[in-house]
Amino acid sequence: MMKKVFLMTAVILTFCTTIASAQTKQGDWFSSSSIGASLSNFAGDIEDAKSRFGFAINTEIGYNVTDWFAPSIGLTNTYQGVGYSVIDKNLYMDILSVPLLMNFSAGPVTLKAGIQPDFILSARINGTSYTDQLKTVSLSAPLALNWNFMSDSDGDQWFLELRYHLGLTKMNKDVMFTNGWRTPGSIRNSVVMLTVGYKCDL
């Protein structure tokens, strides 16, 4: 599965770096903000976990090194949830991420890839805090496809973005929950986001 993901990413990167008529301008700074929905779950040593919907907000600032390439840094706040059929309860998390991204543009399409630290601000099950039983910081790899579907008279753009956060490091501590349920050996984050946003030059 991972080989297919990497192969598809390589193909899209090649596409983005070879097609002309990019809409970004070399030497310009830009910012963007977006809001939308998220679908989250856990990956790794866990069974019977159910995905839950939440919402996500994102803001970024970047610099166009060329007409097709721009590094950026951002802040992403996602409200995530995971359901456990074993204990018939839901875990809700408030997570703040700092994505460090490479942006590859070709016309109205931008592919984004990078790495980000994820900070768990809070976690709870049925009103009981479980923040101390999860690691404060974990790492994930964001991969996004961005489509600029409309531009205004100033050249600023409205866009749709589909983004996936692939967890790279363990999120949980090896501790016993107060209800006797033990955390799995290793659980990682897995989040899909669909947002709509606005991008403008600075």
Side-chain angles (χ1 to χ4, degrees), residues 3-112:
K3 290 183 179 179
K4 291 182 180 179
V5 172
F6 288 131
L7 178 60
M8 184 170 57
T9 301
V11 171
I12 297 175
L13 285 174
T14 303
F15 173 80
C16 288
T17 56
T18 55
I19 290 184
S21 72
Q23 294 187 5
T24 56
K25 295 181 181 179
Q26 181 176 348
D28 287 349
W29 288 88
F30 64 87
S31 67
S32 68
S33 297
S34 62
I35 187 169
S38 65
L39 181 66
S40 58
N41 206 330
F42 281 147
D45 302 325
I46 189 167
E47 297 179 357
D48 300 321
K50 298 179 181 178
S51 300
R52 288 288 183 268
F53 283 101
F55 81 93
I57 54 177
N58 181 68
T59 183
E60 292 178 19
I61 185 171
Y63 177 75
N64 295 313
V65 177
T66 69
D67 286 344
W68 56 267
F69 171 70
S72 67
I73 184 172
L75 287 175
T76 302
N77 191 197
T78 51
Y79 293 87
Q80 304 176 24
V82 179
Y84 296 103
S85 58
V86 175
I87 58 174
D88 193 27
K89 293 183 179 180
N90 297 318
L91 170 66
Y92 296 101
M93 297 179 295
D94 182 4
I95 295 181
L96 182 66
S97 304
V98 184
L100 305 172
L101 299 170
M102 297 178 293
N103 300 261
F104 302 89
S105 299
V109 177
T110 299
L111 179 74
K112 303 180 179 184

Side-chain angles (χ1 to χ4, degrees), residues 63-180:
Y63 177 75
N64 295 313
V65 177
T66 69
D67 286 344
W68 56 267
F69 171 70
S72 67
I73 184 172
L75 287 175
T76 302
N77 191 197
T78 51
Y79 293 87
Q80 304 176 24
V82 179
Y84 296 103
S85 58
V86 175
I87 58 174
D88 193 27
K89 293 183 179 180
N90 297 318
L91 170 66
Y92 296 101
M93 297 179 295
D94 182 4
I95 295 181
L96 182 66
S97 304
V98 184
L100 305 172
L101 299 170
M102 297 178 293
N103 300 261
F104 302 89
S105 299
V109 177
T110 299
L111 179 74
K112 303 180 179 184
I115 193 167
Q116 67 184 28
D118 301 313
F119 301 89
I120 297 181
L121 303 181
S122 66
R124 67 186 190 279
I125 295 179
N126 287 16
T128 302
S129 175
Y130 284 85
T131 307
D132 292 341
Q133 303 188 36
L134 297 172
K135 291 179 180 290
T136 303
V137 184
S138 59
L139 288 177
S140 61
L143 180 65
L145 188 63
N146 182 296
W147 174 51
N148 300 316
F149 64 87
M150 185 174 65
S151 298
D152 60 22
S153 58
D154 295 326
D156 299 333
Q157 301 166 340
W158 289 93
F159 63 86
L160 284 173
E161 183 173 291
L162 181 65
R163 183 179 296 198
Y164 177 57
H165 293 177
L166 173 66
L168 301 177
T169 62
K170 179 178 176 180
M171 293 183 65
N172 60 300
K173 298 178 182 178
D174 190 16
V175 295
M176 183 74 73
F177 279 7
T178 54
N179 58 14

